[in-house]
C-alpha cells in the first residue's frame, strides 16, 4: 500500500514537472488567411514592416536564413526552425503593433493562376517587378532598398514573364497529409513541391537564400507551418520527428539552429513542436485547437512515447479511432472550409473509377462510399457555388511546375528523389482527372 502511494506521488510530481517544462500558453492569437485581409489590414502590416526595415530587422532575418541555409533545408529541422523563425519576426512586429500577426498565404487557393492572386495586388504585397533589375515598385514593400547581401532594390521576377507557372493543388497536399506516416517523408513532399515552386514562381529575392527580404517568405512559411500542424494532428503524434539531424538521425533534443542575428531562444527543437505550448502562442483560422495537455512522456494524448522517434503509425483500421483525445479527422490541404467537405466526398466517390486513389487517400478510404446524405451536403450551405451544374465541364487539375535545377543544386537535393515526388504528384492528378472527380476550388 505504501509503495502504491509512493508511486502515485512520484507520477504526480513527474507529470507536474513535465507540464512546467512545457508551459501552456494562456492565450492564443489567430493568424488569418492573407486572402481575407482588407486594404486597411495590409496597410497596418506595411507600417510594421517599414519600422522593422528601418531598424535593420528584415536584413538580420535574411542574413540569418542565408547562414543557416544548409542546416534548415533538406533536414527535419526545416519544420521547427521555420515555425520558430516566423514566430520571432511576429513577436518583434508585435512590439510595434500589439495586434500584428503574420498572415498565412494558402497558395493552393491560387495554384492554377498564381499571378492573379489577390495577395499580389497593389494594395497587398504587390505583383511582378519592373525594369531591368525587376524592382518591386508597388505593395507594402514598394520601392524598398534592401541592405543584405548588398544594397539593391527588392526584386520580384515571375518565372514565366508576366505570369507564374502553376503551383501545387490542394488535393495533392491532402494526399500527403493522409498518406505520409513519417515526418521525413512529409518533409520531402513539402520541400520538393509546394515549398519550392512558390519561391521559384515569385523569383527575385524570393528565389534566393536571403528570401526573408520579401515578406512573402513569412506568409508562405506560415502556411507551411499550418500544413505541418494539420499533419501533426492527422498523423496521431505531434512529437513525431525522424530523418536527417545535425549528428545523424534527427531527435527532439537536437539544438534549434540559430545565429546571433536572430536569437531563437536556444534550447532544442522540442520547444517548437506543439502549438499552444512553450511560447508557440498562436493558431490559425482553419486548424484544430492545441491539445489540452502537452503530449509525450506519461501522457496518453499522443501516440509517441516522448523519445522523438514516434512515427505516427497508429492503428488506422478504425475510422472512428481517437487521436490526441479526438475522433480521427481528415484534413484538406486547402483552407477553404466550404470546399473541404466537397473535396473529401468527391474523392471517395472517385474510388469507384480509380481504385488506386485509395493508396493516396487511405484515411478517406476507411470511410467507404459516401452516403446519400453526405453527397447532398454538397448542395447546401455552399459559398463556392453549386458542386455541379448540368452540362458544366468538370474542374480539371493542372500539373504543378517543376523545380529548377538551380533550386535543386542550391539546396543540395537529390535530383532523382525530387523527380520521383514530381511524378507522384502528376500520377495522382492523372488519376483524379480520369475519374468523376471535379475540384471544388
Amino acid at each position: 500500500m505504501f509503495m502504491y502511494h509512493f508511486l502515485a506521488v512520484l507520477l504526480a510530481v513527474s507529470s507536474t514537472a513535465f507540464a512546467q517544462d512545457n508551459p501552456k500558453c494562456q492565450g492564443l492569437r489567430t493568424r488569418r488567411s492573407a486572402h481575407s485581409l482588407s486594404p486597411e489590414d495590409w496597410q497596418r502590416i506595411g507600417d510594421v514592416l517599414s519600422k522593422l526595415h528601418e531598424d535593420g530587422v528584415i536584413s538580420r532575418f535574411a542574413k540569418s536564413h542565408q547562414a543557416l541555409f544548409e542546416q534548415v533545408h533538406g533536414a527535419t529541422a526545416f519544420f521547427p526552425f521555420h515555425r520558430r523563425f516566423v514566430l520571432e519576426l511576429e513577436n518583434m512586429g508585435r512590439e510595434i503593433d500589439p495586434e500584428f500577426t503574420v498572415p498565412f498565404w494558402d497558395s493552393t487557393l491560387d495554384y492554377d493562376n498564381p499571378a492573379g492572386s489577390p495577395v499580389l495586388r497593389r494594395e497587398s504585397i504587390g505583383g511582378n517587378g519592373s525594369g531591368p533589375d525587376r524592382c518591386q515598385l508597388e505593395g507594402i514593400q514598394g520601392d524598398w532598398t534592401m541592405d543584405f547581401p548588398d544594397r539593391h532594390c527588392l526584386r520580384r521576377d515571375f518565372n514565366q514573364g508576366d505570369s507564374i507557372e502553376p503551383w501545387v493543388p490542394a488535393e495533392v497536399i491532402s494526399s500527403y497529409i493522409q498518406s505520409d506516416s513519417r515526418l521525413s517523408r512529409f518533409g520531402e513532399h513539402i520541400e520538393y513541391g509546394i515549398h519550392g515552386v512558390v519561391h521559384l514562381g515569385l523569383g527575385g529575392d524570393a528565389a534566393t537564400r536571403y528570401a526573408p527580404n520579401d515578406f512573402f517568405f513569412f506568409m508562405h512559411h506560415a502556411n507551411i507551418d499550418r500544413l505541418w500542424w494539420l499533419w501533426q494532428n492527422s498523423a496521431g503524434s505531434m512529437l513525431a520527428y525522424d530523418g536527417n539531424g545535425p549528428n545523424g538521425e534527427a531527435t527532439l533534443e537536437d539544438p534549434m539552429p540559430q545565429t546571433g542575428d536572430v536569437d531563437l531562444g536556444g534550447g532544442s527543437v522540442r520547444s517548437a513542436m506543439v502549438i499552444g505550448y512553450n511560447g508557440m502562442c498562436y493558431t490559425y483560422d482553419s486548424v484544430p485547437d492545441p491539445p489540452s495537455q502537452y503530449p509525450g512522456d506519461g501522457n496518453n494524448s499522443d501516440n509517441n512515447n516522448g523519445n522523438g522517434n514516434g512515427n505516427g503509425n497508429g492503428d488506422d483500421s478504425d475510422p472512428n479511432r481517437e487521436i490526441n483525445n479526438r475522433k480521427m479527422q481528415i484534413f484538406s490541404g486547402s483552407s477553404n472550409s466550404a470546399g473541404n467537405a466537397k473535396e473529401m466526398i468527391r474523392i471517395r466517390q472517385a474510388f469507384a473509377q480509380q481504385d488506386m486513389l485509395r493508396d493516396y487517400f487511405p484515411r478517406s478510404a476507411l470511410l467507404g462510399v459516401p452516403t446519400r446524405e453526405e453527397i447532398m451536403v454538397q448542395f447546401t450551405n455552399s459559398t463556392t457555388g453549386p458542386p455541379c451544374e448540368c452540362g458544366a465541364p468538370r474542374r480539371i487539375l493542372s500539373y504543378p511546375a517543376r523545380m529548377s535545377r538551380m533550386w535543386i543544386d542550391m539546396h543540395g537535393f537529390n535530383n532523382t528523389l525530387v523527380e520521383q515526388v514530381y511524378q507522384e504528384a502528376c500520377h495522382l492528378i492523372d488519376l483524379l482527372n480520369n475519374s468523376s472527380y471535379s475540384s471544388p476550388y
Side-chain angles (χ1 to χ4, degrees):
M1 184 69 179
F2 172 78
M3 181 60 70
Y4 176 81
H5 178 71
F6 174 77
L7 291 174
V9 171
L10 181 62
L11 179 60
V13 171
S14 298
S15 298
T16 300
F18 188 75
Q20 291 174 342
D21 289 341
N22 299 282
K24 187 176 183 178
C25 295
Q26 297 306 303
L28 301 176
R29 54 186 179 262
T30 300
R31 292 177 178 171
R32 297 164 55 196
S33 168
H35 288 77
S36 71
L37 302 185
S38 68
E40 292 74 25
D41 293 327
W42 285 112
Q43 183 58 55
R44 191 165 180 173
I45 291 172
D47 291 343
V48 171
L49 294 181
S50 293
K51 176 60 176 171
L52 292 175
H53 181 46
E54 178 184 323
D55 293 344
V57 171
I58 302 298
S59 291
R60 282 163 38 204
F61 273 81
K63 183 179 179 182
S64 181
H65 188 264
Q66 175 164 288
L68 296 171
F69 199 81
E70 285 80 8
Q71 297 181 49
V72 300
H73 296 91
T76 312
F78 172 80
F79 288 110
F81 167 78
H82 285 96
R83 173 174 284 177
R84 186 64 183 84
F85 199 66
V86 172
L87 178 64
E88 186 61 23
L89 186 282
E90 185 172 86
N91 286 341
M92 296 180 79
R94 290 173 70 84
E95 293 177 6
I96 299 168
D97 179 351
E99 298 301 314
F100 175 77
T101 57
V102 174
F104 68 92
W105 184 359
D106 179 0
S107 58
T108 69
L109 300 179
D110 305 311
Y111 95 95
D112 207 25
N113 179 27
S117 171
V119 182
L120 295 176
R121 290 174 181 164
R122 180 184 298 272
E123 64 268 21
S124 50
I125 70 169
N128 207 1
S130 302
D133 291 331
R134 311 308 298 165
C135 296
Q136 179 58 254
L137 301 179
E138 58 185 22
I140 57 176
Q141 290 182 282
D143 216 18
W144 275 26
T145 298
M146 312 310 298
D147 296 315
F148 185 82
D150 50 32
R151 287 186 64 81
H152 67 280
C153 65
L154 177 65
R155 302 186 185 102
R156 188 87 53 74
D157 190 9
F158 291 175
N159 67 353
Q160 231 178 13
D162 292 330
S163 63
I164 300 173
E165 292 182 277
W167 290 340
V168 180
E171 291 83 353
V172 173
I173 306 301
S174 300
S175 75
Y176 299 156
I177 294 172
Q178 287 200 34
S179 63
D180 289 342
S181 62
R182 299 187 69 86
L183 182 59
S184 56
R185 184 56 174 160
F186 184 67
E188 289 174 346
H189 279 140
I190 294 299
E191 279 209 76
Y192 301 167
I194 188 173
H195 171 252
V197 298
V198 177
H199 273 276
L200 287 166
L202 294 182
D205 280 30
T208 69
R209 293 171 178 244
Y210 47 90
N213 275 344
D214 192 329
F215 185 61
F216 126 85
F217 171 94
F218 296 95
M219 297 192 297
H220 181 43
H221 277 279
N223 187 53
I224 298 297
D225 180 57
R226 183 184 68 88
L227 296 177
W228 179 30
W229 183 241
L230 291 177
W231 182 87
Q232 287 180 288
N233 278 268
S234 178
S237 181
M238 294 179 182
L239 298 182
Y241 200 71
D242 71 291
N244 297 324
N247 300 301
E249 181 70 14
T251 77
L252 291 174
E253 308 317 316
D254 289 341
M256 177 68 75
Q258 65 175 33
T259 67
D261 291 295
V262 180
D263 183 359
L264 300 184
S268 68
V269 296
R270 181 190 288 272
S271 64
M273 292 299 292
V274 184
I275 289 177
Y277 293 83
N278 294 313
M280 306 293 112
C281 301
Y282 64 91
T283 186
Y284 296 96
D285 62 12
S286 57
V287 300
D289 293 332
S292 58
Q293 292 179 291
Y294 189 86
D297 301 348
N299 187 334
N300 291 328
S301 66
D302 192 276
N303 290 338
N304 187 49
N305 62 12
N307 63 10
N309 296 319
N311 60 17
N313 280 331
D315 177 16
D316 282 343
S317 62
D318 179 9
N320 293 314
R321 68 191 175 90
E322 290 193 359
I323 294 179
N324 299 327
N325 294 330
R326 308 182 180 97
K327 294 294 184 183
M328 183 182 76
Q329 301 178 68
I330 297 179
F331 302 110
S332 167
S334 172
S335 61
N336 181 339
S337 58
N340 292 167
K342 296 177 184 179
E343 175 193 347
M344 295 305 164
I345 289 173
R346 293 178 190 184
I347 285 171
R348 288 163 58 196
Q349 288 177 294
F351 291 159
Q353 295 89 38
Q354 297 289 350
D355 189 67
M356 195 176 293
L357 284 170
R358 297 175 186 272
D359 296 333
Y360 286 93
F361 301 97
R363 301 291 177 89
S364 293
L366 291 174
L367 300 179
V369 177
T371 64
R372 183 175 183 277
E373 288 74 19
E374 288 179 297
I375 295 173
M376 291 306 295
V377 168
Q378 300 181 74
F379 293 86
T380 59
N381 301 322
S382 173
T383 60
T384 58
C388 57
E389 300 174 7
C390 293
R394 289 191 300 115
R395 293 286 304 278
I396 300 297
L397 299 174
S398 301
Y399 296 134
R402 271 190 167 90
M403 290 199 299
S404 70
R405 191 56 190 256
M406 176 276 295
W407 185 262
I408 294 171
D409 291 344
M410 184 171 77
H411 287 75
F413 292 156
N414 182 309
N415 189 61
T416 300
L417 290 179
V418 172
E419 182 62 18
Q420 286 176 356
V421 167
Y422 181 78
Q423 292 299 330
E424 285 175 12
C426 291
H427 183 238
L428 170 56
I429 289 171
D430 284 341
L431 291 174
L432 290 170
N433 285 343
N434 288 295
S435 72
S436 62
Y437 183 77
S438 180
S439 179
Y441 304 114

